[in-house]
Amino acid sequence: MIIKVLITVVFLAVMIGVGLYTRKQASSVDGFVLGGRAVGPWLSAFAFGTSYFSAVVFVGYAGQFGWKYGISSAWIGVGNAIIGSLLAWLLLGKRTKLMTQHIESRTMPDFFGTRFSSQGLRVVASVIAFVFLIPYTAGVYSGISKLFDMGFHIPYEYCIIIMAVLTAVYVILGGYKATAMNDFIQGIIMLFGIAAVIIVVLNAHGGLTEAFHKMQQATLTQHDMESPLYENFQPGDFASWFGPNAMSLLGVVVLTSLGTMGLPQMVGKFYSITDESAIKRGTIISTIFAFVVAGGCYFLGGFGRLFGEPAWNEARHSYKFDDIIPTMLEKAVDSDLLIGLVMVLVLSASMSTLASLVLTSSSTMTLDLIYRDKKSLPGEVEDGSIDDIVAEKIERRKVVIMRVLIVFFIVISVLIALNPPTFIAQLMGISWGALAGAFLAPFMLGLYWRGVTTAAVWACFIWGVGITVVNMLLGNPINPINCGAIAMVGGFPVTWIVSLLTPKMKRDEVNKIFECYK
């Protein structure tokens, strides 16, 4: 216990130390939210990756999908690396950096408001972001708390509160720069931690070959037989290339991979990177990171059936999937040093994601709801300019409000996490489905196509949020994960069709915005 506590305390002290070190760079809005738009490729790539993969992936998704699909769940990690990281950087990195800097956009709602000349879009987008980031945050708390209960025997409630306070401290102190620097440190821990855990878990069953052979012999449980997922199950499916249900697996790949391109906390990493050459390097670094971390998590989860059947939740008529990974670690890992490393691994993954979520939410609320500054298009002159002293006071006030809202956001998400409505994967499915379903298509198409109309953006907002909320109110007749995937993919035809049928924006305004690519 002493070893585990010491490792954790040192890790937390470093996180707080980084916050203190970077606090001077967080005095302005650009410094607090974007790190002054001067964050290098390594910090940006690790910030992207660590915000992407949290305890939701390591505990919730790896456990649930590893149980459902066996070793084929590793394809989810491959999809995360190729679609969620490589393709996201290739499609969005350069264009997001250039256009958001050109129109002086600091947040995704701000982008919608300026790109499509609508303050209404800006306000509604900020409300959507704020509301649907909360369930995702609650899922992150839940994941890490289960592992801390295993490693330290600390009650769930205390884990949530301790992590919330520590994350708030370093984000409030140093803003985005502190978050990015800590993400880099946390990312390195995640890379080594995942590799070590996989080796130990497989060795507990005689190594990779023997563990794979045992998975070929894995059979369905009584509860599995009640699920339509296994209608065409064949012996050996849990060790096959595409598992017992390839189409269902594809839905998970779409949700967890495509979604990154429409999430405010992920896209924001492209706002802050230094230049185009840094984007090229960041693309490679981020993709390799995703292959190791996401691929490793899902590959590890694919062997979950070797460690016994998880408990059954009769009220929800489902397994307690969030207990699978903690059970694997508890049975396979007998080294206090390695348990300490696992604790820091999951703490790293979770705190980095939490920091990104709370910073995104607070900046969105402050800049897009409380201070809706009138913005001019590039090349235009604003009337009624204010002097530098007043402007500096307003900037400082905005930073203070963002810090207050960070606390507010954390308190709300903690209250939800203390009594979560469902298990981790569903929390993330609801959050990602609504956010990416509403934002992905109009954001991506808005970077490339001059013909996207304001009405089409409104239509996609209604589509993404509407299908997610209606499905939830009806008791999830469509699995939240599949519903999220439908919301994301469906946003593209919705945006395209409505754009063809509704009045176009003024050509001069659109041309001024797209000048950034010349």
Side-chain angles (χ1 to χ4, degrees):
M1 182 61 72
I2 293 175
I3 294 173
K4 290 184 284 190
V5 170
L6 280 176
I7 292 173
T8 307
V9 168
V10 170
F11 168 78
L12 295 175
V14 171
M15 298 300 103
I16 301 300
V18 170
L20 291 168
Y21 174 75
T22 56
R23 69 188 187 281
K24 291 182 180 179
Q25 301 175 42
S27 56
S28 68
V29 172
D30 264 2
F32 192 81
V33 178
L34 301 174
R37 294 188 189 265
V39 181
W42 282 92
L43 292 185
S44 295
F46 273 66
F48 186 91
T50 54
S51 298
Y52 193 170
F53 309 116
S54 66
V56 172
V57 172
F58 186 72
V59 178
Y61 271 24
Q64 177 178 347
F65 300 129
W67 179 268
K68 287 184 175 181
Y69 306 109
I71 298 173
S72 66
S73 63
W75 283 111
I76 305 171
V78 175
N80 291 174
I82 295 175
I83 302 172
S85 294
L86 177 62
L87 202 59
W89 279 75
L90 291 175
L91 290 178
L92 301 183
K94 179 180 177 180
R95 283 185 169 257
T96 300
K97 168 67 179 178
L98 293 176
M99 186 176 285
T100 57
Q101 191 164 356
H102 185 59
I103 64 177
E104 297 181 355
S105 167
R106 292 163 169 168
T107 65
M108 185 178 273
D110 188 14
F111 170 86
F112 287 123
T114 307
R115 166 67 179 85
F116 299 103
S117 300
S118 171
Q119 283 296 310
L121 283 177
R122 184 181 180 187
V123 171
V124 171
S126 65
V127 172
I128 293 171
F130 187 79
V131 170
F132 287 98
L133 285 175
I134 291 175
Y136 184 18
T137 310
V140 175
Y141 286 126
S142 179
I144 191 170
S145 298
K146 291 181 183 298
L147 278 181
F148 261 67
D149 185 27
M150 179 204 79
F152 295 113
H153 305 295
I154 299 175
Y156 173 85
E157 295 79 7
Y158 296 141
C159 292
I160 290 175
I161 294 169
I162 291 169
M163 188 174 68
V165 170
L166 292 169
T167 305
V169 168
Y170 82 73
V171 177
I172 289 171
L173 284 173
Y176 182 74
K177 197 61 178 288
T179 301
M181 290 182 68
N182 276 330
D183 286 348
F184 182 73
I185 298 169
Q186 292 159 352
I188 292 173
I189 294 170
M190 289 167 68
L191 289 171
F192 284 100
I194 286 291
V197 169
I198 290 174
I199 292 170
V200 170
V201 168
L202 292 181
N203 282 342
H205 281 273
L208 176 60
T209 304
E210 182 62 25
F212 185 82
H213 178 68
K214 290 179 180 179
M215 284 301 298
Q216 287 179 314
Q217 300 173 333
T219 58
L220 297 176
T221 66
Q222 183 177 352
H223 291 300
D224 287 335
M225 294 178 186
E226 300 172 6
S227 172
L229 187 70
Y230 305 109
E231 284 180 347
N232 301 312
F233 181 82
Q234 298 293 326
D237 273 358
F238 289 121
S240 65
W241 274 95
F242 299 107
N245 194 319
M247 290 306 297
S248 177
L249 178 63
L250 180 62
V252 179
V253 173
V254 171
L255 174 78
T256 60
S257 303
L258 198 59
T260 59
M261 302 186 210
L263 298 177
Q265 75 273 20
M266 304 299 296
V267 174
K269 305 300 184 287
F270 302 131
Y271 288 43
S272 57
I273 198 165
T274 50
D275 50 42
E276 293 177 43
S277 63
I279 292 173
K280 292 177 182 177
R281 283 175 284 163
T283 302
I284 298 170
I285 298 165
S286 178
T287 303
I288 294 173
F289 182 89
F291 263 117
V292 175
V293 174
C297 283
Y298 289 111
F299 181 71
L300 174 70
F303 293 93
R305 286 179 179 265
L306 301 183
F307 292 85
E309 185 178 355
W312 180 258
N313 187 327
E314 194 62 47
R316 293 174 179 165
H317 201 67
S318 69
Y319 282 116
K320 294 182 178 179
F321 292 116
D322 302 342
D323 294 340
I324 292 175
I325 296 296
T327 299
M328 291 174 68
L329 296 174
E330 197 168 25
K331 291 182 177 180
V333 180
D334 58 2
S335 163
D336 286 338
L337 183 62
L338 189 55
I339 285 289
L341 179 62
V342 171
M343 295 300 106
V344 174
L345 157 67
V346 181
L347 195 60
S348 297
S350 300
M351 289 182 72
S352 58
T353 303
L354 285 173
S356 181
L357 290 170
V358 298
L359 188 58
T360 299
S361 183
S362 66
S363 60
T364 293
M365 288 291 287
T366 302
L367 302 177
D368 301 312
L369 277 181
I370 299 173
Y371 283 95
R372 297 197 305 274
D373 301 332
K374 183 182 181 301
K375 297 183 69 175
S376 57
L377 291 172
E380 294 180 348
V381 178
E382 287 191 49
D383 296 326
S385 59
I386 55 179
D387 61 56
D388 292 341
I389 296 176
V390 175
E392 188 177 340
K393 288 182 179 179
I394 293 174
E395 285 281 291
R396 287 202 300 267
R397 193 178 303 154
K398 289 178 182 177
V399 174
V400 170
I401 292 173
M402 279 189 276
R403 285 174 165 145
V404 171
L405 285 174
I406 285 172
V407 176
F408 174 69
F409 181 81
I410 283 179
V411 169
I412 293 176
S413 55
V414 164
L415 292 176
I416 294 176
L418 291 173
N419 186 26
T422 184
F423 50 80
I424 294 176
Q426 284 195 339
L427 284 174
M428 186 172 168
I430 293 167
S431 173
W432 279 44
L435 287 169
F439 295 159
L440 172 59
F443 182 82
M444 183 182 293
L445 293 175
L447 293 174
Y448 282 88
W449 183 28
R450 300 173 191 237
V452 181
T453 65
T454 304
V457 182
W458 281 113
C460 200
F461 283 7
I462 294 169
W463 159 260
V465 174
I467 190 173
T468 306
V469 172
V470 169
N471 186 60
M472 183 173 61
L473 293 176
L474 293 176
N476 296 316
I478 306 173
N479 184 287
I481 294 158
N482 294 334
C483 183
I486 292 168
M488 291 176 205
V489 176
F492 286 94
V494 168
T495 305
W496 179 67
I497 292 170
V498 176
S499 292
L500 295 178
L501 299 176
T502 52
K504 300 292 184 286
M505 294 179 61
K506 294 179 181 178
R507 182 175 296 180
D508 290 344
E509 290 184 2
V510 177
N511 287 340
K512 285 179 182 176
I513 292 172
F514 275 79
E515 284 177 356
C516 60
Y517 298 144
K518 291 183 179 178

